[in-house]
Amino acid sequence: MNLVVVVMGVSGSGKTTVGRLLATRLAVPYAEADDFHPAENIAKMSSGTPLSDDDRRPWLQAIGAWISTQSGGVVTCSALKRRYRDILRAAGEKVWFLHLAGDRDLIASRIAGRTDHFMPPALLDSQLADLEPLSSTEPGIVVDIAEAPEDIVETVIQALEGEFRSG
């Protein structure tokens, strides 16, 4: 299956945890979206300044370039707006989204508990304000982050099997 799964959602939604588990389960390459950010973006976010669409464009293009080289894979990316997802979808033959969605307080508590990430808790509300949830016209599913990561992965595997049955 020539499919790249984009694990999307706001910071703190569990993209990295779920993405790594899913890539392992599918036996495909994994890429972390944070690794595609230019240094200027990381500095901007670290200082508490939200990224603009112009800031995000080269980052999304770099992720799209990775997608275009894969015959299967999992990549994390906040993909907050539909137009961002359109850029990613245009990069590969089959791009499918896993939208990790959940309660703001749960997400905020996860962000507050992180010590190894440049994204400060103060930017959560700007991300939530920008978020355009995955729509029914986009390929993928929305899963509640209150579920255990292993259960989320199982839900995704079942959805993929249902959607991409060979035959």
Side-chain angles (χ1 to χ4, degrees):
M1 174 176 358
N2 191 23
L3 177 74
V4 174
V5 176
V6 177
V7 182
M8 63 169 281
V10 297
S11 184
S13 61
K15 295 184 298 290
T16 298
T17 300
V18 171
R20 286 181 176 151
L21 286 170
L22 183 59
T24 298
R25 181 80 183 273
L26 295 173
V28 295
Y30 169 77
E32 172 61 49
D34 290 342
D35 295 340
F36 294 91
H37 272 298
E40 301 81 31
N41 284 7
I42 293 173
K44 199 170 186 179
M45 288 183 285
S46 296
S47 72
T49 304
L51 297 179
S52 68
D53 286 354
D54 286 340
D55 294 327
R56 288 187 177 103
R57 189 170 297 108
W59 171 66
L60 291 165
Q61 290 169 337
I63 295 168
W66 183 86
I67 289 171
S68 72
T69 66
Q70 301 304 308
S71 60
V74 174
V75 61
T76 60
C77 178
S78 54
L80 298 175
K81 297 180 181 181
R82 183 172 183 138
R83 68 178 165 265
Y84 303 165
R85 297 189 293 272
D86 290 345
I87 291 169
L88 300 177
R89 205 171 24 257
E93 187 177 315
K94 288 186 182 176
V95 177
W96 193 85
F97 295 93
L98 166 58
H99 179 180
L100 298 176
D103 178 73
R104 185 214 177 276
D105 291 339
L106 174 58
I107 295 168
S109 70
R110 288 180 176 183
I111 293 173
R114 295 196 300 199
T115 58
D116 61 345
H117 198 273
F118 57 82
M119 180 77 168
L123 290 182
L124 175 58
D125 288 329
S126 71
Q127 284 203 333
L128 288 169
D130 281 351
L131 178 64
E132 296 171 3
L134 190 68
S135 77
S136 62
T137 62
E138 296 176 279
I141 60 169
V142 179
V143 178
D144 189 336
I145 64 167
E147 295 182 44
E150 296 79 8
D151 293 338
I152 292 172
V153 168
E154 189 57 40
T155 297
V156 172
I157 297 295
Q158 290 175 9
L160 289 172
E161 288 173 351
E163 192 161 332
F164 296 102
R165 282 194 211 286
S166 58

